[in-house]
């Protein structure tokens, strides 16, 4: 490993700023809140933080609708606060990654406002994807593309003369118009934004929907093309269908953008890094984003979406390792983020290759989540921790309808409840809301916290050896000290079909029992850390993991 390539083994903590800690008492997390919790993060033992978008935003999609990429949303703080945070994080030994949103801007961004005011065919319109509609009067959307949040991906504008006119593309909400990456001015502007933050000491960026920037020329209909392509069963085995290009996801041309971005990152003395948020199902396609002259890492969503089943996990781990090895990039392992149901709740249900909806058994989900984090931190490469997972927070599935803020709720006609359930503010202390999230006598948190969260606070778990928090702290401490963990390779050890068991040199063994029965532990190894009680000697109960030293 080259000196300074910290990102190859890093554990990166995701700070969802709205919900992490509220310094000024308005019920919304902010930079002051993050600064006050840096000692907590340093003590937890992570290497870096990734902060979700903190730029000025009308918040149509919780900050993923950016109206100014070179400033800070006033509700989160100021640019000076941001600079202070970066410096303080560094002083705590924590690197700082921001979130860049290159696929779309806010509809309030000056570029889009200028595009609305300018005529069809103008340079201003050409920074976005404007088209004439279909039908005699252009009254139908230009093609059949769908918004990820529901409904058409096109919205018709009223032209400056007051008449309905062109349509613009938005793969997400209408407040998030897609930018035209064929435009050299767009490319130059985003590179300048990267430099703006790199010059302020930011260590890297997570790239929002990194696989969506480029659209196929002519914008052909998607038709019945499936994305992602589901595996199909052939002779009892699940196989991937042959990859076919999609008109707006994962286009080959997107890699040119990232080669240019890599050159920007490498132009710094302490090179900056990128992580791609690319929901690309095939490991081989994902690995293209992390070729030597492109991005450094990519979130591994096939691991996140894998059910808690030994064969499925083994398959995704093997495929990930093989494809990343091909291009010399370290894999990442991620269990949760702000877009998916928290894994305690996902694992709290019967597991299968298809999602199962049934009542949650949170005790079971928690036991599996404890085992899952030992698996995650023992795998070769880097890992992500989504705020609150170290507290074992479950998904909040009973938020009242009238507090839901995810645009998916409205856009789906109230059929998709969206992602608010994993975004509920973190409980820090005390036994009632806001649990130290905001100072006393503050406004209510922007999403209500359950009244049952008292035992899950940082304060309640600290010092309790059986708590999720202490498990994370212990695992991260061992991971830091152990030469076997982080980047490298693994060797599978055959035990029993329901177990995942592998060795890492020197002398490290990870065993995860995903079967319904206890399994025997090897004699010649000493237990370093277990995810749950080991009531019988040399026996690993179901849904439990151990780290051992030979
Ligand atoms: C992915 C982000 O993680 C998600 O929260 C957002 O809604 C979409 N990209 C659109 O920016």
């Amino acid at each position: 490993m080259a000196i300074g390539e910290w990102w190859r083994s890093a554990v990166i903590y995701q700070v969802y700023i709205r919900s992490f800690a509220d310094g000024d008492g308005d019920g919304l997390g902010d930079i002051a809140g993050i600064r006050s919790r840096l000692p907590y993060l340093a003590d937890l033992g992570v290497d870096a933080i990734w902060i979700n978008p903190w730029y000025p935003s009308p918040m149509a999609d919780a900050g993923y609708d950016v109206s100014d990429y070179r400033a800070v949303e006033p509700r989160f703080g100021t640019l000076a606060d941001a600079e202070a945070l970066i410096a303080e994080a560094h002083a705590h030994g924590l690197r700082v990654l921001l979130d860049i949103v290159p696929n779309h801007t806010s509809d309030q961004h000056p570029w889009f406002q200028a595009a609305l005011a300018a005529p069809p065919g103008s340079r201003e319109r050409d920074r976005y994807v404007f088209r004439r509609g279909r039908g005699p009067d252009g009254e139908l959307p230009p093609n059949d593309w769908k918004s990820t949040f529901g409904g058409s991906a096109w919205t018709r504008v009223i032209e400056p003369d007051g008449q309905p006119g062109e349509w613009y593309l938005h793969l997400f909400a209408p407040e998030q118009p897609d930018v035209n990456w064929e435009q050299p001015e767009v490319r130059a502007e985003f590179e300048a934004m990267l430099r703006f933050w790199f010059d302020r000491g930011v260590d890297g960026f997570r790239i929002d929907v990194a696989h969506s920037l480029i659209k196929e020329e002519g914008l052909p209909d998607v038709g019945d093309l499936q994305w992602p392509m589901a595996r199909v069963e052939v002779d009892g085995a699940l196989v991937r269908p042959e990859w076919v290009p999609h008109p707006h996801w994962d286009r080959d041309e997107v890699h040119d953008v990232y080669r240019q971005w890599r050159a920007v990152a490498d132009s710094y003395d302490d090179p900056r890094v990128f992580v791609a948020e690319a929901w690309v199902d095939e490991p081989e396609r994902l690995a293209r984003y992390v070729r030597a002259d492109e991005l450094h890492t990519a979130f591994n969503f096939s691991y996140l979406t894998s059910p808690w089943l030994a064969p499925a996990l083994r398959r995704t781990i093997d495929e990930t390792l093989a494809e990343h090895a091909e291009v010399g990039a370290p894999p990442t392992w991620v269990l949760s983020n702000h877009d998916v149901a928290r894994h305690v709740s996902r694992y709290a249900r019967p597991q299968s290759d298809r999602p199962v909806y049934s009542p949650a058994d949170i005790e079971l989900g928690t036991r599996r989540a404890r085992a899952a984090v030992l698996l995650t931190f023992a795998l070769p490469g880097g890992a992500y921790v989504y705020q609150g997972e170290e507290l074992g927070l479950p998904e909040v599935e009973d938020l009242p309808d009238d507090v839901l803020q995810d645009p998916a709720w409205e856009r789906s006609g109230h059929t998709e409840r969206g992602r608010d359930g994993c975004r509920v503010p973190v409980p820090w202390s005390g036994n009632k809301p806001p649990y130290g999230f905001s100072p006393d006598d503050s406004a209510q948190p922007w999403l209500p916290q359950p009244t049952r969260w008292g035992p899950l606070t940082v304060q309640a778990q600290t010092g309790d050896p059986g708590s999720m928090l202490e498990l994370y702290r212990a695992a991260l401490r061992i991971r830091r000290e152990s030469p076997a963990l982080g980047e490298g390779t693994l060797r599978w050890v055959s035990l029993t079909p329901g177990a995942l068991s592998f060795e890492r040199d020197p002398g490290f063994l990870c065993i995860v029992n995903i079967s319904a029965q206890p399994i025997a532990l090897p004699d010649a190894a000493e237990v370093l850390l277990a995810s749950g009680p080991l009531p019988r000697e040399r026996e690993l109960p179901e849904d439990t993991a151990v780290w051992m030293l030979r």
Side-chain angles (χ1 to χ4, degrees):
M1 173 164 98
I3 295 201
E5 295 204 321
W6 60 274
W7 45 274
R8 289 186 167 269
S9 307
V11 178
I12 302 180
Y13 185 98
Q14 180 186 352
V15 174
Y16 190 66
I17 182 167
R18 307 167 64 83
S19 303
F20 185 63
D22 167 22
D24 67 4
D26 64 354
L28 192 70
D30 49 33
I31 295 178
I34 304 175
R35 288 171 70 185
S36 71
R37 301 295 181 182
L38 288 173
Y40 167 79
L41 294 170
D43 174 65
L44 182 61
V46 296
D47 302 294
I49 56 175
W50 146 42
I51 306 171
N52 289 92
W54 62 11
Y55 317 101
S57 165
M59 302 288 168
D61 182 22
Y64 283 97
D65 45 325
V66 179
S67 54
D68 180 356
Y69 289 79
R70 290 186 179 77
V72 169
E73 163 64 34
R75 282 172 282 179
F76 293 148
T78 63
L79 191 54
D81 295 335
E83 288 171 339
L85 165 66
I86 296 163
E88 288 165 14
H90 288 165
H92 277 94
L94 297 165
R95 311 259 180 172
V96 179
L97 274 61
L98 300 184
D99 206 320
I100 186 122
V101 188
N103 180 66
H104 42 266
T105 68
S106 160
D107 62 349
Q108 300 305 310
H109 190 286
W111 270 5
F112 193 70
Q113 289 299 310
L116 291 179
S122 58
R123 172 183 155 209
E124 287 82 356
R125 291 239 165 145
D126 196 36
R127 294 187 188 122
Y128 293 89
V129 185
F130 278 86
R131 291 290 183 279
R132 202 189 128 71
R134 291 198 276 208
D137 297 314
E139 71 281 14
L140 298 171
N143 68 22
D144 68 353
W145 296 3
K146 297 273 174 293
S147 153
T148 309
F149 296 141
S152 170
W154 295 92
T155 291
R156 195 172 194 188
V157 300
I158 301 296
E159 299 293 354
D161 65 5
Q163 296 303 309
E166 289 193 314
W167 298 70
Y168 69 89
L169 176 69
H170 50 86
L171 291 180
F172 295 87
E175 296 87 350
Q176 295 168 296
D178 278 46
V179 161
N180 176 13
W181 276 87
E182 307 301 335
Q183 253 271 8
E185 191 190 354
V186 165
R187 294 188 182 217
E189 176 63 4
F190 272 92
E191 286 184 27
M193 289 168 201
L194 295 176
R195 288 187 188 279
F196 176 88
W197 291 103
F198 286 157
D199 290 346
R200 279 163 182 75
V202 162
D203 299 284
F205 279 97
R206 175 252 193 202
I207 305 169
D208 189 60
V209 272
H211 58 309
S212 63
L213 275 40
I214 306 292
K215 281 81 189 179
E216 185 174 347
E217 211 184 321
L219 310 184
D221 282 347
V222 170
D224 52 13
L225 189 60
Q226 293 297 315
W227 180 274
M229 285 172 289
R231 291 176 194 252
V232 287
E233 204 169 313
V234 176
D235 299 333
L238 282 178
V239 293
R240 291 177 192 282
E242 199 185 328
W243 184 84
V244 276
H246 186 281
H248 63 73
W249 297 131
D250 192 27
R251 308 277 314 157
D252 285 341
E253 305 85 335
V254 80
H255 297 284
D256 296 337
V257 174
Y258 299 133
R259 285 191 194 99
Q260 284 173 315
W261 283 24
R262 178 64 180 249
V264 174
D266 285 353
S267 72
Y268 286 79
D269 284 342
D270 186 8
R272 311 304 206 247
V273 302
F274 295 109
V275 52
E277 189 228 12
W279 286 86
V280 173
D281 210 36
E282 294 80 359
E284 186 273 327
R285 295 293 304 179
L286 184 66
R288 288 168 184 247
Y289 288 78
V290 290
R291 289 178 286 199
D293 59 347
E294 295 193 42
L295 306 175
H296 302 74
T297 55
F299 293 115
N300 180 355
F301 293 128
S302 72
Y303 182 68
L304 181 152
T305 51
S306 172
W308 184 247
L309 296 172
L313 285 163
R314 167 86 193 247
R315 185 176 60 215
T316 182
I317 293 168
D318 279 339
E319 287 180 351
T320 302
L321 292 175
E323 295 298 346
H324 280 71
E326 280 286 304
V327 293
T332 67
W333 308 98
V334 44
L335 292 167
S336 277
N337 66 28
H338 65 292
D339 289 330
V340 296
R342 285 186 175 275
H343 59 274
V344 162
S345 299
R346 299 201 315 267
Y347 293 157
R349 291 165 157 122
Q351 299 292 294
S352 90
D353 279 315
R354 313 246 177 289
V356 177
Y357 301 99
S358 65
D361 176 346
I362 295 298
E363 207 183 301
L364 174 66
T366 303
R367 190 161 72 237
R368 290 175 171 168
R370 293 175 64 92
V373 73
L374 291 201
L375 171 63
T376 302
F377 287 167
L379 290 169
Y384 280 82
V385 173
Y386 174 46
Q387 68 180 39
E389 73 167 72
E390 79 281 20
L391 304 176
L393 298 186
E395 181 80 358
V396 182
E397 295 177 350
D398 54 357
L399 285 170
D401 291 358
D402 61 353
V403 304
L404 295 180
Q405 302 204 16
D406 188 337
W409 173 238
E410 287 301 328
R411 297 269 307 165
S412 69
H414 296 182
T415 54
E416 297 286 331
R417 295 184 66 76
R419 303 158 291 177
D420 291 317
C422 65
R423 299 176 174 182
V424 172
V426 166
W428 291 93
S429 57
N431 49 26
K432 59 177 194 321
Y435 300 110
F437 167 70
S438 301
D440 289 343
D441 302 323
S442 297
Q444 296 295 314
W446 72 281
L447 284 174
Q449 298 157 305
T451 50
R452 52 185 181 271
W453 272 10
L456 295 178
T457 64
V458 171
Q459 186 184 45
Q461 298 195 40
T462 296
D464 171 358
S467 70
M468 186 73 91
L469 179 56
E470 293 299 347
L471 178 70
Y472 270 69
R473 285 180 172 147
L476 286 168
R477 191 173 53 246
I478 295 173
R479 185 182 154 108
R480 281 200 156 189
E481 288 164 2
S482 168
L485 296 184
E487 206 197 358
T489 53
L490 63 70
R491 218 171 25 257
W492 293 105
V493 178
S494 115
L495 269 185
T496 122
L500 292 178
S501 175
F502 57 88
E503 287 176 334
R504 303 208 50 195
D505 291 332
F508 183 93
L509 184 60
C510 174
I511 307 177
V512 191
N513 181 5
I514 309 183
S515 74
Q517 284 91 37
I519 57 173
L521 287 174
D523 282 335
E526 157 210 348
V527 174
L528 272 178
L529 186 62
S531 69
L534 304 177
R536 289 165 193 261
E537 214 175 313
R538 297 285 140 198
E539 213 176 80
L540 185 64
E542 58 274 25
D543 292 319
T544 307
V546 274
W547 286 358
M548 304 184 88
L549 210 52
R550 279 198 198 274

